[in-house]
Amino acid sequence: MAGDNTTVFRSNTNHTTAPSLVPAAPLDELDDTSKRFTWRQIRTLVISSAGFFTDAYDIFIINLVTPMLGYIYYKHHDNMMPSGIQGPFKGMVSFGQLCGQLTFGFLGDAYGRKAIYGLELLVIIIATINCATSASAVEGVGAIGFLGFWRFVLGFGIGGDYPMSSTVAAEWSTVNTRGKMIAMIFSMQGVGQVVAPLVTMIVLACFKGAITDNINNLDYVWRICIGLGAVPAIMTVYGRFNLPESPRYAANVQNDAIGAQAALDSFPSTKNKNKSRDQDVTDYFRRWKNLKVLLGVSLCWFLMDIAFYGTNLNQALILSSMGFAPEDEAPWDTLFKQAIGNLILSGLGAFPGYIVSVLLIEKMGRKPIQYLGFLMVGIWFIILGAAWHPLQEASVAAFVIIFALAQFFFNFGPNTTTFVLPAEVFPTRHRAKAHGIASASGKLGAIVATFAFNALADVGGPEGDRHFLPYVLIIFGILMLICIFFTTWVPETKGRSLEEFENYDK
């Protein structure tokens, strides 16, 4: 094997173009359908999942922290952060994610998974600590301004985790476990959504007396809630820096079969890695059959995140508007009820959706789950918007149940599959950057949602009244139904080896 890759690569001459080298061994080990989870995959799963839990916790905790900031820093504005500030403030992390997804996606393909994986978590740790300790300058920028800046940096690290974790997971998986493994990593978003309100409730309970005596003690609560997000990242970062190079990257991009086998053996290769001449990304995506796939995964993720983040980053406002957590109650009572409402929606809807996706993704396939999810979310949102006022008058509980069903089909549906599919449908040399482009498109949708949601919800009424909110939900529902068409542009990957997507001329 040493010095002679002809024993490791087989020539593919089934096409009219020049023969291409298709890896035979050691990648055949990853395509062995008789194998289930190996210790290497479990190690990768733990390392990637812990980081993704941190990502989700940090993203969704702001939904519960923002009302606290209103009580502390906006007493002059009815204890509410103004809509003109709230949208950009929540959107800073999405801006950072967009930049991080593109940056780390391209870096991951250019320098390899091992060289980059772990840097994004280091950024998250630094940013989270600075978020929790944000303070005001003597003059000029206040605590909210500094917090917004560090939320942008935090988003940059979180964004980097999307293409890196999905790519690493896909390239370490076998054919019959790949979808499940990527879905399991992404399902940690559901755990983060559940833990965020749970932590908030616990910290609020610890500070109940102090908050009742002096509302400014909420300043400790939001800092603790945010700061705890750094703990799992700190526990995981060492493992990421010591993860071997992806065997598929070593074989397909570096043309280093020995390095690929060394990765599978969990020992770093000491052999010379000769870079192959990489097909330029523009040459690959200028072909409609390839561009169509990129557009399909990107447009689905873009439109899906408009609805997903539009509702999930504003669940506290939606619950208050329905009367579940009235804002005219005592601050502690309102905040605690908002946390309970978020926990109910996450525990009954979002988290079970992730679990069902993990269990069924290898049986049903990716596209059937995505079709079903878009259809059901679209129907439930249109029902919620159309029946908003009757539900408000008749039964808030019925509203919560329907909203939870929508969250269930978000996650047993497009929120999971839009993350999984871009990690599978592109060749190794473009996989991380393509996933970065697709996920950045999603964050662009999240930016649109965070900036537009509060302003659009107030159309036709006074600020904070959210008169147009039912119609916003109907718009979200229509967008979900449109995504069914774009899903047709994406190939099904169930039971297919990643090597099937390697040949650019197929």
Side-chain angles (χ1 to χ4, degrees), residues 24 93 96 198 229 286 300 373 415 483 485 494:
V93 73
L198 192 60
R286 72 183 179 184
C300 284
N415 193 40
C483 287
F485 168 74
K494 173 189 172 185

Side-chain angles (χ1 to χ4, degrees), residues 202-212 217-218 220-221 224 332:
I202 293 171
V203 179
L204 279 171
C206 293
F207 280 82
K208 182 177 182 180
I211 294 169
T212 303
N217 284 315
L218 277 172
Y220 293 104
V221 176
I224 293 172
W332 189 91

Side-chain angles (χ1 to χ4, degrees), residues 42-281:
I42 293 173
R43 174 193 58 186
T44 305
L45 184 64
V46 171
I47 291 171
S48 300
S49 296
F52 223 83
F53 165 80
T54 299
D55 298 350
Y57 179 90
D58 286 335
I59 290 173
F60 293 107
I61 194 68
I62 203 66
N63 172 50
L64 297 164
V65 162
T66 301
M68 300 181 197
L69 299 176
Y71 286 111
I72 300 169
Y73 298 106
Y74 295 95
K75 296 182 177 69
H76 60 284
H77 198 270
D78 296 327
N79 295 318
M80 292 176 59
M81 185 181 291
S83 298
I85 297 176
Q86 190 169 159
F89 174 72
K90 289 182 177 178
M92 291 307 292
V93 73
S94 297
F95 266 122
Q97 282 180 275
L98 188 152
C99 297
Q101 285 158 343
L102 293 174
T103 301
F104 279 88
F106 277 82
L107 290 176
D109 280 344
Y111 296 100
R113 316 324 186 203
K114 177 175 173 58
I116 302 300
Y117 201 42
L119 295 178
E120 73 293 325
L121 211 55
L122 196 59
V123 172
I124 290 172
I125 293 169
I126 294 171
T128 301
I129 293 172
N130 280 280
C131 282
T133 56
S134 295
S136 300
V138 176
E139 292 184 8
V141 182
I144 299 298
F146 282 113
L147 179 57
F149 168 76
W150 285 110
R151 290 282 297 174
F152 172 83
V153 178
L154 174 66
F156 186 81
I158 292 173
D161 203 16
Y162 274 67
M164 294 307 300
S165 286
S166 61
T167 300
V168 167
E171 293 177 356
W172 277 98
S173 303
T174 56
V175 173
N176 56 333
T177 62
R178 188 177 62 241
K180 182 179 291 187
M181 186 164 171
I182 301 174
M184 287 176 70
I185 291 171
F186 192 70
S187 70
M188 293 304 292
Q189 186 176 87
V191 179
Q193 282 181 270
V194 170
V195 172
L198 192 60
V199 167
T200 302
M201 291 169 62
I202 293 171
V203 179
L204 279 171
C206 293
F207 280 82
K208 182 177 182 180
I211 294 169
T212 303
D213 294 338
N214 185 352
I215 192 65
N216 287 333
N217 284 315
L218 277 172
D219 198 46
Y220 293 104
V221 176
W222 75 261
R223 295 178 188 278
I224 293 172
C225 288
I226 288 179
L228 288 173
V231 175
I234 293 172
M235 296 171 62
T236 308
V237 66
Y238 176 81
R240 289 199 177 188
F241 279 126
N242 284 275
L243 193 69
E245 181 57 89
S246 153
R248 292 191 186 276
Y249 187 88
N252 292 329
V253 179
Q254 296 176 330
N255 283 343
D256 181 15
I258 297 176
Q261 185 62 58
L264 290 170
D265 295 336
S266 296
F267 291 102
S269 172
T270 57
K271 301 294 181 180
N272 181 44
K273 295 177 174 61
N274 297 313
K275 289 266 187 177
S276 63
R277 184 179 180 275
D278 190 47
Q279 175 64 46
D280 186 79
V281 64

Side-chain angles (χ1 to χ4, degrees), residues 279-442:
Q279 175 64 46
D280 186 79
V281 64
T282 57
D283 289 338
Y284 180 83
F285 287 112
R286 72 183 179 184
R287 295 170 176 257
W288 172 243
K289 62 183 179 182
N290 300 325
L291 179 61
K292 180 174 69 172
V293 176
L294 182 62
L295 288 175
V297 294
S298 298
L299 288 171
C300 284
W301 208 334
F302 170 73
L303 295 175
M304 191 275 297
D305 268 7
I306 290 178
F308 182 78
Y309 282 95
T311 54
N312 279 272
L313 291 182
N314 294 284
Q315 277 185 176
L317 297 179
I318 294 172
L319 289 168
S320 293
S321 297
M322 279 303 298
F324 186 86
E327 293 170 341
D328 57 357
E329 293 186 355
W332 189 91
D333 293 322
T334 297
L335 293 169
F336 197 78
K337 286 182 178 179
Q338 287 176 345
I340 291 175
N342 277 264
L343 183 60
I344 291 172
L345 291 175
S346 298
L348 295 182
F351 185 65
Y354 289 111
I355 299 303
V356 175
S357 287
V358 170
L359 295 176
L360 296 182
I361 195 166
E362 295 295 0
K363 296 179 180 178
M364 290 180 61
R366 288 59 156 161
K367 290 181 67 175
I369 291 176
Q370 184 155 308
Y371 281 130
L372 177 64
F374 277 134
L375 177 63
M376 296 306 298
V377 172
I379 291 173
W380 287 124
F381 273 171
I382 291 173
I383 290 174
L384 281 175
W388 178 272
H389 296 294
L391 283 172
Q392 194 174 36
E393 296 170 2
S395 175
V396 175
F399 170 85
V400 172
I401 291 172
I402 295 174
F403 196 83
L405 284 170
Q407 292 300 311
F408 174 84
F409 282 105
F410 254 133
N411 298 305
F412 176 47
N415 193 40
T416 298
T417 54
T418 54
F419 181 81
V420 173
L421 282 166
E424 299 181 308
V425 295
F426 301 103
T428 305
R429 64 188 183 277
H430 298 315
R431 185 170 295 124
K433 68 173 73 76
H435 198 288
I437 291 170
S439 54
S441 300

